[in-house]
Structure formats: C-alpha cells, structure tokens
C-alpha cells in the first residue's frame, strides 16, 4: 500500500510539472511574435537639414523603449552620406530599422543593403530605383521649391528663407521656420545627382509616409515610390517636413514598422 501511494504521489507531481511547463512554454504564435520586430532605429535627415529634423520624433520613440540614433549627414556626396549611415549601422548591436526623410531616402536606399537592416521607412522621401537619382527624379517632376534654391561657388545649394517658409515647411511656426533656415545644411549638387546602384527596397520590407501638401518631393512622386516598392503607406495632410508638423503620427507609424518587421 505504501508503495502504491508513493507511485500515485509521484504521478501527480509529474502531471503538475507537465501542466506548469505547458502553461509557461511559448506557443507557436508567441514564438512567431518573438521573432518579429526590432528595437533599434536609425534616423536619416534630408537635404537642407540636419539631425534635429527628428527632434520631435526621437523622444516619442525613446519613451516606448526604442533605441534611436540620428545620423548627421555631411551632404557632400552620396558616398560620404552612405558612409555616415553605414558607420551608424556598425555601431548598433542587432537588427535595426532605417528611417529617412527627403534626400535621405536615397541614402538609405543604398545603405540599407547591410544585412543588419530589417526594413526601411520613407517619410516624404526619395526612393530611387537602379540608375535613378534625386536630381533626375526632381527634374522630371519639377516641384515649386526649385525657384528658391541658391547655388554657391563650391557647388552647394541652400534654400532661401522664402523657400523654407513657402515650400519646405509652410505648416510650421515662424520661429521654427527661422531655425530651419539658419540650421539647414548646404547640400552638394554632386550628392543629389548620384544614381543608385542597388536599391535595398527590392529585398527589404518598406513603409512610406506620403505628404499630400509637399512642395519639395511631389505627392504624386511619393505615391509612385510607395506603389513601386509595395510599401505599407499612410497619407498625411502635411508639408514636406511631416515629422515636424505631425510628429505623433509619424512616430506611431515608425513604431508600427518596428513592431511588424520580420
């Protein structure tokens, strides 16, 4: 009788352990979810700008547990700008999402071929295909801001105050427009004219924010990019600087991409 009780107690204990393991072991769906998503975000600014373009988005991402690195592009050549992004990628431990605005979209289209890059997010940005450049795409689809560009003797372009106010960021405050005018990075015509050799969006999942009131990268051009990439996209009633005029929506969209990317 004692032996029988011992066996019965042992059997009960084994069953309890089995139930505990079953309750705590991740299901197939949970394992699949665990294999999705990234927590590292690299933000890339565009022409006539700097890393502060993302100043409103960064704290919103960091508050949700994402690690953010905002790259400072030299804007001297595509090779230099891609190199700056590649160095940022190299510093990060693990997979990441590349997010870019404007000309920065061309930069991540090239730099995004790094195997650590899980996906690409374009915010009112260029997404060139093989052999295309931002300059060629702009000349083929001329936007209003071109009349407000000024070139210097070194081959660099800047936007006039009127260009910032009327075309670049018309939906920002006067104070913000003044800061953008003063802080804009002179951008090399060489950088804008460099064609893409291997577009990363051919092999990486992509997301796109289309700004419907953009006077720098035309909304029709943005829509073409998004469709060509088969990107997950949203449309905002925004100027070219959607991340400054509607930071909460843009940050939420980036978080969604970071969550859903495989």
């Amino acid at each position: 009788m004692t032996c029988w009780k011992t066996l019965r107690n042992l059997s009960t204990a084994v069953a309890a352990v089995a139930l505990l393991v079953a309750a705590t072991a991740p299901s197939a769906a949970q394992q699949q979810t665990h294999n999705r998503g990234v927590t590292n975000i690299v933000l890339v600014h565009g022409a006539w700008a700097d890393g502060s373009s993302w100043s409103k988005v960064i704290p919103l991402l960091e508050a949700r547990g994402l690690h953010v690195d905002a790259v400072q592009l030299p804007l001297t050549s595509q090779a230099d700008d891609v190199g700056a992004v590649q160095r940022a990628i190299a510093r990060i431990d693990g997979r990441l999402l590349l997010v870019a605005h404007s000309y920065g979209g061309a930069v991540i289209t090239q730099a995004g071929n790094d195997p650590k890059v899980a996906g690409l997010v374009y915010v009112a940005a260029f997404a060139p295909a093989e052999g295309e450049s931002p300059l060629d795409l702009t000349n083929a689809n001329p936007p209003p801001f071109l009349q407000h560009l000024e070139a210097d003797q070194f081959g660099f372009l800047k936007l006039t105050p009127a260009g910032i106010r009327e075309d670049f960021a018309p939906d920002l405050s006067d104070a913000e427009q003044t800061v953008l005018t003063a802080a804009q990075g002179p951008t090399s015509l060489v950088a804008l004219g460099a064609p893409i050799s291997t577009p990363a969006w051919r092999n990486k999942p992509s997301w796109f924010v289309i700004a419907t009131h953009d006077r720098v990268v035309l909304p029709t051009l943005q829509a073409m990019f998004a469709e060509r990439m088969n990107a997950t996209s949203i449309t905002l009633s925004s100027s070219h600087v959607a991340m400054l005029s509607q930071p909460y929506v843009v940050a939420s969209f980036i978080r969604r991409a970071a969550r859903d990317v495989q």
Side-chain angles (χ1 to χ4, degrees):
M1 179 67 71
T2 301
C3 182
W4 168 249
K5 286 183 178 179
T6 301
L7 289 174
R8 186 172 61 183
N9 290 339
L10 180 61
S11 176
T12 301
V14 170
V17 171
L19 287 173
L20 179 62
V21 170
T24 57
S27 66
Q30 289 172 325
Q31 288 176 335
Q32 183 178 9
T33 300
H34 181 70
N35 291 332
R36 297 174 64 179
V38 298
T39 56
N40 297 309
I41 310 293
V42 173
L43 301 174
V44 182
H45 64 83
W48 311 295
D50 63 10
S52 66
S53 299
W54 301 101
S55 60
K56 295 181 181 180
V57 169
I58 291 170
L60 299 175
L61 298 178
E62 291 275 359
R64 294 301 185 93
L66 297 171
H67 173 262
V68 180
D69 187 348
V71 177
Q72 297 287 354
L73 299 181
L75 300 175
T76 48
S77 71
Q78 185 195 94
D80 291 343
D81 295 336
V82 169
V85 175
Q86 289 173 331
R87 290 191 296 275
I89 294 171
R91 288 192 296 267
I92 292 174
D93 182 18
R95 297 163 66 246
L96 59 99
L97 200 66
L98 282 182
V99 183
H101 174 245
S102 191
Y103 159 74
V107 177
I108 69 167
T109 295
Q110 193 69 46
N113 291 292
D114 189 291
K116 290 168 70 174
V117 176
L120 310 164
V121 180
Y122 296 82
V123 180
F126 287 100
E130 298 89 342
E132 294 178 347
S133 73
L135 183 62
D136 291 339
L137 290 163
T138 299
N139 287 336
N141 305 269
F145 90 102
L146 291 177
Q147 63 181 320
H148 292 129
L149 279 178
E150 293 182 338
D152 63 23
Q153 59 182 329
F154 306 104
F156 284 77
L157 304 173
K158 288 191 74 172
L159 274 168
T160 65
I164 296 288
R165 185 174 59 254
E166 297 173 15
D167 300 323
F168 198 74
D171 50 359
L172 297 188
S173 68
D174 291 344
E176 289 175 305
Q177 291 170 351
T178 299
V179 171
L180 287 175
T181 301
Q184 64 172 300
T187 303
S188 168
L189 194 59
V190 172
L192 297 172
I196 295 298
S197 60
T198 308
W201 53 259
R202 294 284 189 197
N203 303 303
K204 305 284 178 84
S206 302
W207 289 258
F208 210 109
V209 176
I210 300 171
T212 59
H213 300 299
D214 198 331
R215 293 168 61 85
V216 177
V217 182
L218 293 181
T220 51
L221 189 59
Q222 295 178 41
M224 184 276 285
F225 292 146
E227 182 178 3
R228 183 168 68 178
M229 292 188 295
N230 194 29
T232 301
S233 62
I234 59 171
T235 301
L236 297 185
S237 179
S238 165
S239 72
H240 185 54
V241 289
M243 68 286 188
L244 287 171
S245 64
Q246 298 195 38
Y248 288 94
V249 180
V250 172
S252 177
F253 189 66
I254 294 170
R255 291 199 307 267
R256 171 185 167 188
R259 179 198 66 198
D260 292 345
V261 68
Q262 293 290 339

